[in-house]
Amino acid sequence: MFDSKLLAESLLGQVTEALGTNSLLIGIETGGVVVLGYLIKELDIDVAFASVDVSFHRDDFEIRGLAKSKKSTSIDVVLDGRDVILVDDVIQSGRTARAAVNEIYDFGRPKTVQLATLVDRGGRELPMEPQFVGGFVDVPDSQKIAVRLDKNKELEVYVV
Amino acid sequence: MTDDIQINDGGTLRHLLTLENLSGELVSEILDRAQNFLSIGDRKTKKLPLLRGRSVFNLFFENSTRTRTTFEIAAKRLSADVVNLNIATSSQSKGESLLDMIDNLVAMQADMFVVRHAQSDAANMIARHVPKGIHIINAGAGSHSHPTQGLLDAFTIRHFKKDFTGLKIVIIGDILHSRVARSQIHVLKALGVHEIRVVGPETLVPESLSEMGVSVYNDVDSAIKGADVVTTLRLQNERMEVSLVPSVQQFHKDYGLTKERLALAHPEAIVLHPGPINRGVEIASEVADGPQAVILRQVTFGIAVRMAVMSLLQD
């Protein structure tokens, strides 16, 4: 349904170009971490990376309570002064990205924060725009899409 | 729908009143959440926005330093505003006047009450009384229950022992009057522990306790033998006054956890105690300060567990 390979290679190309010695890639649990894993595997250079779980900063806590999550934020490097690229699978409202920015600020003050997503499905509700996008997809609002690894360990965008 | 007032229509916690009948699944969810909260002590910003703008009232009708303080820290790390009311000396803390007081605090826009009371059903009574949207946590009720202590005991055991099912756990002391023991037994049962041994003076550990699904021992040495977890309980002075225990010295000789006794347990056994400890009574100093004691870790874990409970309550 989606050309996952094209999306992945497009994102990889853009991120590769943006990386520098001060870069820190941070995957957003759980889909963003899958995409991050792909990027790290495909990149020719060693790059610092970490992961964030955004449960504690979600804005729907009042409505839905805490999401069940066994994941937690893991930032074992110094964040202050780094050029962070947040990595997520899908962007829609922008609320997850907002929560991720708040989460990383609990750990320090990065120099810059950029956002890379494999898929942009439109429908923004907050002023959060990714600098790097694998591609745009048009799916009905009722459909949820996500990213997983297929049997060949390649990224696959699928309808949940 | 459920008749259990501490469970909401979604099957999760509305209040935390008792660990009795709480499912292993719900208990595990609380422990998992506490695990996530444990690491926020490592952050630069040790504060999360989950309870921002909420008011938590600590209502302690009995004295407690450790429990009240850790509840206060937990609420503050979740960005709540905390109001402490120490009402231990108040004589008008029963029946209708208690609910009148609650009504006044509700009128002050309280969102959560943390209640410690000598009466075992005080927290339940408040939970049934308050309007929707207000949550109650039982922080110790008479000799009946102390759910967050039971949960932090379970969290501590899981931290050091991982799997519950094969564990041998022994609780030593005044089991009959101990809310800590009762809560620990309920939570361990929910988590699938098969072998819970209790031991202490016959007046404090009656045979009828076996109805709770525990093995009652008369001899402390055989109860400790091979145990993975040893919990000693504080000997409460009021038990002495009514002569349920012959003397402090005799109690230490018969039931105190000494280095020699602890050597009978599994070599990697851990020692738990709810605090405050009576050195030389239920526990020898060299055990309390020794490498197997995890008593101070329990205190730290208690903050994460209380954060977990506070953040999980919903209507």
Side-chain angles (χ1 to χ4, degrees), chain B residues 80-227:
Chain B
D81 297 311
V82 183
V83 180
N84 289 312
L85 290 135
N86 279 315
I87 349 173
T89 49
S90 168
S91 59
Q92 45 178 344
S93 57
K94 285 177 197 152
E96 207 178 349
S97 62
L98 168 65
L99 295 182
D100 276 343
M101 179 187 157
I102 295 293
D103 285 342
N104 278 277
L105 298 174
V106 168
M108 296 174 202
Q109 275 122 23
D111 295 293
M112 193 179 286
F113 292 112
V114 177
V115 182
R116 166 166 291 194
H117 202 289
Q119 231 169 289
S120 61
D121 65 341
N124 288 53
M125 192 164 73
I126 297 169
R128 277 191 296 269
H129 182 74
V130 293
K132 217 173 170 203
I134 297 179
H135 305 283
I136 312 300
I137 299 175
N138 171 4
S143 58
H144 188 69
S145 59
H146 191 355
T148 56
Q149 178 72 42
L151 289 167
L152 78 88
D153 290 344
F155 187 88
T156 306
I157 295 168
R158 189 174 82 161
H159 181 85
F160 289 101
K161 298 294 173 191
K162 316 299 174 209
D163 182 33
F164 284 100
T165 46
L167 292 180
K168 295 185 182 72
I169 293 176
V170 59
I171 310 175
I172 309 171
D174 179 2
I175 314 292
L176 186 64
H177 301 98
S178 171
R179 55 191 176 203
V180 175
R182 277 171 199 276
S183 290
Q184 193 185 108
I185 291 167
H186 288 307
V187 74
L188 294 176
K189 285 273 159 196
L191 291 167
V193 175
H194 298 298
E195 195 165 348
I196 304 172
R197 308 165 178 174
V198 295
V199 64
E202 215 179 329
T203 44
L204 304 175
V205 186
E207 203 61 45
S208 60
L209 280 172
S210 59
E211 286 164 20
M212 288 188 81
V214 298
S215 314
V216 179
Y217 280 65
N218 299 316
D219 172 48
V220 68
D221 289 353
S222 46
I224 292 179
K225 197 160 196 266

